[in-house]
Amino acid sequence: MAAEHPLRNAALLLATAGFASLASCASGPPKNEAAATVAAASAPVTACNFGAFVAESDPAGLNVRAAPSLSAKVLGKLPRTFVEPSAGYGVRIEVEVAGARNGWFLIRNAQDNDALTGQPPRRLYSGEGWVSGSKLTVKSQADVGRAQPGPQSAAVLRIGDNQTFDDDDTIEAARLVDCKGTWAQLEFADQRFPADMRATLKVERAAREGLPAGRFRAWVDRVCAIQETSCPSLGAPEPAP
């Protein structure tokens, strides 16, 4: 997934947002507020390159915006997670993640998985745009979460006996908070895990520092963008440190 095109568009979108903020501040907020708005709009976008899933339960769907802000224009919507009526399993909209800024993610090429839903593909916005990481999750075949995005970084999270981060319960418990290249930083909530899994969590203190009680974060690689199976091309898990 090449990041150059979406990042170029992101820069244009952010620049546009900055000019709009300047115009609206001419007769409104103080100059220091205007300067802060422009500075935020010009913050760098981190390049990322992996697939993620939309974790949305609102029937109205998820707004995709023109810039990383709740006040930015809505370009379109992505449907909520489809729940298969008889089996009860969920099918999420699949997206490509191309960039990140302050908890927002530049996505593109959203698609429904009609092979899993058994229904015609749902209508959705498939262009580029920004969504909050609180509505995204990933599936990782890594068996350890790390303090920083790199294989030599300290391990801060394990599940059970070196279980990988790709089962349904772990995917549901995670939300995307940052990314760098092919690495994704996830925030987990204890209460999103089933009770039996919570008992198997091995979370280092560093993973919880600075977060509300019951939350912890870790970086993972080997992200698999396929909902229904594993990704053999990712290879075997890295050896435990």
Side-chain angles (χ1 to χ4, degrees), residues 14 21 31 39 41 56 61-62 87 113 130 133-134 181 194 209:
L14 294 175
S21 297
K31 290 183 179 180
E56 179 59 83
L62 174 62
N113 193 323
W130 293 87
S134 65
E209 287 181 355

Side-chain angles (χ1 to χ4, degrees), residues 105-233:
F105 295 85
L106 180 64
I107 64 166
R108 61 177 181 170
N109 296 336
Q111 61 180 5
D112 202 3
N113 193 323
D114 53 307
L116 289 181
T117 64
Q119 305 292 326
R122 291 169 286 178
R123 295 183 60 184
L124 51 74
Y125 175 77
S126 60
E128 295 175 350
W130 293 87
V131 298
S132 168
S134 65
K135 300 294 185 178
L136 295 176
T137 186
V138 305
K139 170 183 177 180
S140 167
Q141 292 179 199
D143 60 0
V144 59
R146 299 195 177 276
Q148 297 295 330
Q152 304 307 316
S153 180
V156 295
L157 174 63
R158 296 186 189 277
I159 302 175
D161 186 16
N162 294 338
Q163 178 178 327
T164 55
F165 295 75
D166 60 359
D167 65 274
D168 290 341
D169 290 325
T170 303
I171 295 170
E172 180 56 33
R175 293 295 183 270
L176 193 59
V177 292
D178 201 359
C179 59
K180 183 177 182 180
T182 58
W183 286 78
Q185 187 185 33
L186 303 176
E187 181 172 304
F188 298 88
D190 286 315
Q191 294 304 314
R192 287 203 189 111
F193 286 99
D196 60 334
M197 285 192 71
R198 286 200 298 272
T200 73
L201 296 175
K202 302 171 184 176
V203 187
E204 300 296 328
R205 181 180 300 177
R208 296 187 184 274
E209 287 181 355
L211 298 175
R215 301 293 181 98
F216 52 94
R217 293 181 177 182
W219 286 87
V220 298
D221 62 346
R222 305 184 68 243
V223 176
C224 177
I226 305 175
Q227 294 188 73
E228 58 267 50
T229 185
S230 61
C231 297
S233 62

